[in-house]
Amino acid sequence: MDLLSIKNLEIEFPSRRGTVVAVNDVNLTVQPGEVLGVVGESGAGKSTIGNAVIGLLEPPGRMSGGEVYLKGEQINNLSSEEKRKIRGRRIGMIFQDPLTSLDPLQTVEQQLVETIELHLKLGEAKAKERAIDLLHQVGIPNPELRVKHYPHQFSGGMRQRVVIALALCAEPEVIIADEPTTALDVSIQAQILELMRKLCQEKQVGMLIITHDMGVIADITDRVAVMYRGNLVEEGTTQKILGNPDHPYTKSLISAVPRPDIRLKRFPMVDYIEKEEDRKKLLDISTHWLGQARDFDAVEGPLVEVEDLVMTFVTKPAFLKKNRQTFNAVNGVSFEIRQGEVFGLVGESGSGKSTVARMISGLYKPAKGAVKFGGTNLTEIKSEKELDYFRRQMQMIFQDPFSSLNGRMRVMDIVAEPIRFHKLTSSNAETEGIVMDLLEHVGLGRQAAVRFPHEFSGGQRQRISIARALATRPRFLICDEPTSALDVSIQAQILNLLKDLQEELGLTMLFISHDLPVIRQMCDRVGVMKMGELVEVTETEKLFTAPEAPYSQELLSLMPKLDNLSQQGLQVEGA
Amino acid sequence: MVSFLFKRLLQSFVVMITVALIAFSMFRFVGDPINNMVGQDTTQQEREELREKLGLNDPFLVQFGRFTLNAAQGDFGLSYKYRVPVSEMIFERMPATLELAFVSAIIALFFGIPLGVYTALKRKGILSKFIMTMSLVGVSLPTFLTGILLILLFGVMLRWLPTFGRGDVIEIGSWTTGFLTVSGLKSLILPSITLALFQLTLIMRLVRAEMLEVLRTDFVKFAKARGLPDRAVHFKHALKNTLVPVITITGLQLGSLIAFAIITESVFQWPGMGLMFIQAISDVDIPVMAAYLVLIAFFFVVINMIVDLLYYAVDPRLRADNE
Amino acid sequence: ETFKYAFQGSLSSLDPHSLNETFLLGTLGNIYEGLVIYDENLTVTPGLAESWEIVEPTKWKFNLRKGVKFHNGNDFTAEDVVFSWQRALSEGSDQKVRAAKIKNIEVVDDHTIIIETPAPNPILTSDLYFVYMMDKTWSEENNTTEATSPSADTTGNFANLNANGTGPFKVTEHKADVKTTFERHADYWGNMKSNVTRIEFTPIKEAATRVAALISGELDLVYPVPVQDWQRLDDAAGVKSLAGPEARTIFLGMDQGRDELLYSNIKGKNPFKDIRVRQAMAHGINLEAIKQKVMRGASTPAGLMVAPQINGFVAELNTPYAYDPKKSKELLAEAGYPDGFEVTLDCPNNRYVNDEKICQAVVSMLAKVGVKVDLLAQPKSKYFGKILATGGFDTSFYMLGWTPGTVDSENAMSSLLACQNAETKVGLFNLGNYCNPRVDELTAKVGSETDQDARNAMIKEAFQIVKDEVGYLPIHQQPLSWGVRDGVSVVQRADNILDFRNVVVGK
Amino acid sequence: MEKTIEKTRFERFLDSDVWHSFKSSPVAIISSLVTLIMILAALFAPYIAPHDPFDLVSIDIMDSNLPPAWQEFGEARFLLGTDDQGRDILSTIMYGARISLFVGFASVIFSMVVGITLGLISGYAGGRVDAFIMRVADIQLSFPAILIALLIDGVARGIVPKELHEELSIYVLIFAIGISGWVQYARTVRGSTLVERNKEYVQAARVIGIRPGTILRRHILPNVMGPVMVIATIHLAIAIITEATLSFLGVGVPPTTPSLGTLIRIGNEYLFSGEWWITIFPGITLVILVLAVNLLGDWLRDALNPKLR
Ligand SMILES: Nc1ncnc2c1ncn2[C@@H]1O[C@H](COP(=O)(O)OP(=O)(O)OP(=O)(O)O)[C@@H](O)[C@H]1O
Ligand SMILES: Nc1ncnc2c1ncn2[C@@H]1O[C@H](COP(=O)(O)OP(=O)(O)OP(=O)(O)O)[C@@H](O)[C@H]1O
Ligand SMILES: [Mg+2]
Ligand SMILES: [Mg+2]
């Protein structure tokens, strides 16, 4: 008997403007002890399937056809109370968006203990013990202390691990993991994958894992299903899919996987197009709006300099200052980014990468140290007007696409906002034209403009975020894991666009990522962070060939190798 | 935190002084106190003398200065009308008002929150639509009308409940309480319902509005995905996330219940501070008004301070901003 | 027997010299007593003085009652009379006007005194009713030899919250504005009808609540009851309304002093100075309609400034001006205002029975003859602050009600009819400054004439003049309106005072 | 899609989600219809009301306290009966509603604007600005509308010439009611702003360089409007009633031109005597109005929330 089986699943989102069929006639099965990988285009309907299985489709979404069986028992037509009993206990779910999946007002401990007590019927003390143990298992350092913290005190990757711990805590029979490792560094990722694998093997748990990371697919899955536009286009053993795909879409996907071993000038891309009108226009930056009118002052020396940055968080507020517990998330970080350079920042999850990015963009005020832009110390500028000039040159793509978009604005207004604000166009019609164009270039299509953020998949939202960042025609772009939620082919497309911008216009970037192959392809120099400190800053190639710091060496050794990847149709440009 | 409290305390003095200042500039618009202090036979000259003696002819800054100086020494003067120390009067009235405000706040919260949650969950249900509509009938009828209608129904027609006053009270130290006698408790019912009706509707609607938003968030979905029972999802996770506006409004409403439950107190002849205050206004009893307003300012500062502290207690994200 | 009642206002003090207010004095009249008291019909009868005689025009001899005991057991003596008089004259006292009618008191013996007045005073006894007798010893012991003054220091006055009189009831508990409890004084000197042993008084501000409390059986008596609720009371089981005429006359006053009206569109002259305009006003108001509709038939339309209970009342002058809008318009046209004129009517809205409603009705009646009246209705504290001397008589048309405290026309004449005169302190409530030298003269004479017939003739002459000149626009004597439980018998005195002596509670 | 750019505003509106949600919500349609009818009836009272109750010449005290036409003693002239001065209740409701609606809406809008603005600034700026605004709010809270009305009325009467007093009184009312209501909004908005301002979408806007003012208006405001709408719609009833209370103090409209609230207050005195129609009919009118406005507000709040569609 199949552990989990999905038959002819069909899901649609009806709306006034027509019905979006998100999933169309999909059949999947998971056996006990088996790991099924689901890959596919961003927006293909992968998360929707996961939601449907546990019966938490968001309205107006509804299952318009098909059945779901758990151990032969049909579960999609159960009463809501019976469904609830299955959730968490028998089917564990890890949602795609770790940053918003946790209740902001309760400590991690409260949320863990509550779930453990409910499902395992343990006493409070036991449950607490188990909570700490779980955190330990998912690689949260210092779990005894951390367990008392609130979600906002965790980094993106750490929250993701808490979510995993929550999903695993009742030892369910089936685990549905929606991009569980996107925000994790390779070592933690390896640890988590190991944990999951062990669960599957020892407890005969079945797992459905949705991911864009071919490394993860190669590492953990037994079988792989490939989705495209709501349809299941191909299914087979991992070996088969990665090594010898049949469907042209799968082929195009595999070809776009960034190579960890050598640096290519551009990301290889094989466009898979069903319909001719979907073909993306090639973009000529020299004539395109994005490339025009850059009136920035020339800068001598490095564009961005970061000097001895320190960021202190209060982790336990207290009545008196001396009883307060504080913690330096970033501790004495200095580096510089030259003009036209892409500076990579890698490192342990929770090591302070996002915090550095936020300090540079002015969102956090450093406790100590200085951020200089073109020689000007930004931390000292007081007047808004003056800062404006620099802000226009600087943009940021946030790590979490779910919360960085205002849910009450339409995509059109979100992307147009920076253009309108900086008065980069002369008419509204022009602005709207540019926004449409940008949306197309990030692969969303024009019809996205009138929708609201919550109507999009994770990857699609990330693309909105990217379009918004590009809309100001920035000189310096801070990218906090810009593409981790994207499928590799879209990723390639966007990274190529960034590369073009960099080459033609000298766009400077701070590029934070856990994806080492991407780092290798994108960055000129890399800084490696661990526990709030910069342990190594070096040329990218040097890092990959001869890492110096022990931590760097460890990181690289854990990088998935993807040896057996199909290399069909892949032409190596430059190198 | 200590410095937070200290700062607030300091600010509260400024607030109270400002209130006194505004109050003094206001009093001459309320009417002439003399007419309420003497009979109609009293001669004009005597009236003038009295004005002079009371310092009513002094420039208002002088009057204000005198008030602040005396107040600083704990002396708020004598009520013009009752000729007893104002502070005594206020403290005598305080228990009645506080008990009433407390009971109605409890009623409002006790019913308002669950009903708000219910109507949010069953947004389209018939019952919740009915509740939403009925709650409005309660607020759109003026308090004096609902009060009288309640009296008519329960006091006059059914004769179940007393129509006025506090019933028998028991003195515990300097506090008088109606909680310990049957007639005291019975007397509480109608006025507290009258007062609570409005608060209840407001809280219920606020909770509903906020719940609707929160119920769509990812963490609620994840809580459901973990299999948590509905009660935990709705009350522990969702509800808690709606609390900031609810706390704000509850705080403000509690403040105004304590300070200005004027109409309810008059309709039920509830011997509380609101009634005293409205009487003081109509009698132009300046010392009572002045002391009372300053006291109320203090109340509000304290209540709002508690509200702000509750924000921190409820929402850890705000704690980092503290200071 | 216990008797519970409610009134709209509160008992602000227990000090008999603190505030000259009908309700306060009326209530304290059950605790304290003066040398004389009023009976059911407002006739002066012996109180703490058994008898008196006028020995000289300015000297009265009073024989004090013997064996009278204060509530604390002390005896009442002549000493106490002197003390009380002096106390009434003290700084904080609001009885100074009455006390000043006495120049000196000579103690003949413990129970005989001679009171000397500054001038012959035919109505001295009426003034003495409200000068209540306090116990000298008690007052000295408790350091309350002066009246409670609103301007005193924080140290409260003992007599303000405690009482010790000779009256039939003593105070056992007093919470100002909340509740006052009385108990029977066992050693009371007099005989009284009342069988009540305990009385509870609660102020209830809202009329509806008061009425509800009566109907629901929680109270035995409430007053005032809105006139429109009488029917309801009479229909309800176990309660009834108790109505009667009050000695208060409600009237409108017109500014006849200023050369230009305030708040008017007529500039440079004062229409009210023209008698034709005043007549037009008088004929333009339908008093019968006000009685029928606003007062539910309960008032007595008036043509005179004093009520029948008041000494000096002239029945034939009490016929109101006839309602004749046509004539009214003609008169206005004659006076040069064919299109009428504008004026603002100042009106209280919580002082007299249906005050605001009467004003509204008047405004609409006058509109029909062409006088456009804007109505400014305000609560009494703002209202009196505006229209009285303290507000600079800031009005050109106003409503006022007057009960002569002495139950004598002289009081109305000197307050309302005499020309405003700050020095002689007359006419101070003559807010519109109606002024006629003959009336002035008569007022002065009436004040000292001891021959009743001559006096009444003078009063009549004065009233006749005022009536002819339309100095005021009397409206009606307002009704007293109480509600009582069946089985409770009380006497409704025309001065709206509840005398506990007359309260009998049946089954 | 290119066409959207050329669409007129009206076309865009017809195409908007709000309009579509409106069309498909019977509650919204009915409640907006009711509100509209009431507003129109008030606006055009002089043309459609059977009598002019504010014209003193036309009312007659002898017609007072007549019951509704269908009752014994009722007269056909006065469908819903008359009040204590002989005014036709139906007409007085229409005329009175003009005052009440104007005062109600104007004062609620006034306090909303002031309160929201200050609340946003306070919550966003924090620190001293916040402390200052919130302490001003505390001061404000200490004064009930009654006192504020008396103060403003006094001051206004002092500085404005006497002829203008009557026109002025209604603005005094609006100002007094409005000013005593803003704190509710300010504190609510501030509380929510404190929470919202740290969210990432706000930070994203900050990184773009958007001015705090614009961030507050475009980003935070829509996200904190939920509770504001709840309070505002309920406040409408309060404002209308407060107007009646204040008019009693002599600061508002004169008794010869009663508003809806005043009519209810006056009628209240006749409840015991059985003349229920004086208070009940205007009371029902007020209840219906408040109901309609609130239901409309509920609907609008849901309709403006993209996630609830
Ligand atoms: N509430 C909604 N209303 C309308 N369309 C929706 C809604 N939610 C999702 N969709 C659409 O459904 C499709 C599938 O979304 P889903 O989140 O399942 O994608 P996904 O495969 O998980 O993508 P990603 O890899 O980017 O997370 C998308 O095209 C999305 O636009
Ligand atoms: N508001 C906060 N209060 C307390 N601690 C915080 C806060 N924000 C971040 N931290 C802590 O600071 C550290 C660095 O966080 P940061 O988000 O910069 O990590 P990161 O390197 O971006 O990690 P990831 O790759 O997982 O996103 C973490 O340990 C986190 O727990
Ligand atoms: Mg997804
Ligand atoms: Mg991060």
Side-chain angles (χ1 to χ4, degrees), chain A residues 120-352:
Chain A
L120 301 185
K121 312 271 183 276
L122 291 178
E124 193 174 325
K126 281 263 172 56
K128 279 188 178 165
E129 241 168 66
R130 182 161 163 85
I132 292 171
D133 184 47
L134 274 167
L135 287 189
H136 183 73
Q137 284 182 40
V138 294
I140 302 259
N142 207 353
E144 290 84 5
L145 176 74
R146 280 299 193 169
V147 81
K148 305 271 186 220
H149 284 181
Y150 289 92
H152 73 278
Q153 294 172 305
F154 284 68
S155 78
M158 292 158 92
R159 275 189 240 184
Q160 185 148 35
R161 282 176 268 165
V162 173
V163 170
I164 293 172
L166 273 166
L168 299 186
C169 70
E171 295 174 344
E173 296 158 36
V174 180
I175 296 170
I176 300 172
D178 197 349
E179 309 195 15
T181 59
T182 38
L184 304 182
D185 63 79
V186 281
S187 64
I188 300 288
Q189 176 174 321
Q191 189 182 338
I192 299 267
L193 292 180
E194 182 54 38
L195 178 73
M196 292 182 164
R197 189 168 19 228
K198 234 172 65 201
L199 261 178
C200 289
Q201 276 162 8
E202 288 172 7
K203 307 242 156 105
Q204 285 298 297
V205 170
M207 182 144 85
L208 193 151
I209 182 166
I210 301 166
T211 180
H212 294 300
D213 190 330
M214 289 304 167
V216 173
I217 291 287
D219 206 14
I220 185 173
T221 59
D222 302 309
R223 281 187 307 126
V224 180
V226 184
M227 287 195 63
Y228 180 73
R229 304 248 160 131
N231 295 305
L232 193 64
V233 294
E234 190 171 0
E235 200 193 335
T237 60
T238 308
Q239 197 71 21
K240 160 86 175 24
I241 299 284
L242 292 186
N244 186 18
D246 285 335
H247 196 276
Y249 173 69
T250 320
K251 283 181 188 158
S252 78
L253 206 58
I254 301 292
S255 73
V257 174
R259 295 185 59 166
D261 48 349
I262 54 171
R263 177 176 171 123
L264 307 175
K265 193 162 173 298
R266 286 174 68 85
F267 286 85
M269 280 174 58
V270 178
D271 265 5
Y272 166 71
I273 305 143
E274 256 183 355
K275 293 184 222 126
E276 190 50 31
E277 69 262 27
D278 285 350
R279 183 178 292 283
K280 282 153 199 120
K281 280 183 288 181
L282 275 181
L283 169 101
D284 182 0
I285 298 225
S286 54
T287 58
H288 190 263
W289 180 81
L290 273 181
Q292 285 162 14
R294 305 199 159 238
D295 52 349
F296 306 130
D297 295 345
V299 173
E300 309 250 315
L303 185 67
V304 177
E305 286 162 276
V306 167
E307 282 167 15
D308 198 25
L309 278 185
V310 176
M311 181 72 207
T312 310
F313 288 113
V314 178
T315 50
K316 191 172 170 228
F319 287 171
L320 291 174
K321 240 187 189 115
K322 60 173 195 262
N323 293 345
R324 217 171 273 161
Q325 284 177 15
T326 61
F327 154 74
N328 285 354
V330 173
N331 206 351
V333 168
S334 313
F335 59 83
E336 53 178 51
I337 306 174
R338 299 177 201 131
Q339 283 188 71
E341 180 184 58
V342 180
F343 185 87
L345 208 50
V346 298
E348 214 182 12
S349 157
S351 59

Side-chain angles (χ1 to χ4, degrees), chain B residues 79-243:
Chain B
S79 155
Y80 287 171
K81 179 162 186 200
Y82 297 105
R83 292 146 207 229
V84 295
V86 169
S87 43
E88 266 175 35
M89 269 179 78
I90 292 180
F91 285 113
E92 213 179 271
R93 299 305 172 81
M94 206 159 356
T97 293
L98 289 183
E99 287 187 352
L100 180 61
F102 175 75
V103 170
S104 40
I106 297 284
I107 295 178
L109 289 172
F110 189 78
F111 290 100
I113 290 179
L115 286 179
V117 173
Y118 176 82
T119 47
L121 293 176
K122 303 261 154 64
R123 185 156 74 103
K124 303 233 156 93
I126 294 289
L127 181 59
S128 69
K129 284 197 168 143
F130 176 75
I131 296 174
M132 291 290 285
T133 314
M134 282 319 288
S135 70
L136 285 173
V137 178
V139 290
S140 48
L141 281 178
T143 315
F144 49 78
L145 193 56
T146 31
I148 289 296
L149 289 176
L150 283 177
I151 290 181
L152 257 178
L153 185 63
F154 292 102
V156 175
M157 284 157 74
L158 298 171
R159 307 218 174 167
W160 288 349
L161 298 168
T163 52
F164 73 96
R166 252 187 116 186
D168 299 330
V169 292
I170 289 181
E171 278 182 43
I172 304 173
S174 54
W175 187 275
T176 58
T177 180
F179 286 162
L180 298 175
T181 62
V182 177
S183 80
L185 289 173
K186 270 175 137 183
S187 306
L188 255 171
I189 298 176
L190 291 185
S192 56
I193 288 179
T194 311
L195 264 185
L197 212 55
F198 175 73
Q199 325 292 333
L200 193 156
T201 306
L202 192 56
I203 289 176
M204 179 187 109
R205 296 191 143 249
L206 269 181
V207 169
R208 184 193 99 104
E210 287 292 279
M211 276 295 275
L212 284 179
E213 309 248 311
V214 175
L215 285 175
R216 293 305 177 93
T217 55
D218 292 316
F219 66 81
V220 167
K221 189 168 148 197
F222 186 54
K224 284 187 191 156
R226 278 183 276 152
L228 297 184
D230 287 349
R231 217 162 36 109
V233 175
H234 298 151
F235 287 91
K236 232 162 135 185
H237 295 280
L239 183 62
K240 202 172 171 197
N241 275 276
T242 67
L243 284 186

Side-chain angles (χ1 to χ4, degrees), chain C residues 53-110:
Chain C
E53 56 187 314
I54 305 179
V55 286
E56 275 171 43
T58 59
K59 284 198 175 156
W60 296 53
K61 179 172 159 217
F62 284 85
N63 300 312
L64 303 184
R65 200 176 288 278
K66 298 200 176 85
V68 173
K69 292 232 184 287
F70 284 101
H71 296 157
N72 65 353
N74 290 358
D75 287 320
F76 165 71
T77 62
E79 283 283 281
D80 296 317
V81 180
V82 177
F83 167 77
S84 299
W85 168 61
Q86 281 163 347
R87 193 175 186 276
L89 275 174
S90 68
E91 164 97 42
S93 166
D94 199 26
Q95 294 294 351
K96 278 188 227 166
V97 177
R98 287 203 178 95
K101 304 249 163 106
I102 298 173
K103 195 169 153 200
N104 187 31
I105 300 180
E106 183 189 326
V107 178
V108 179
D109 62 39
D110 254 8

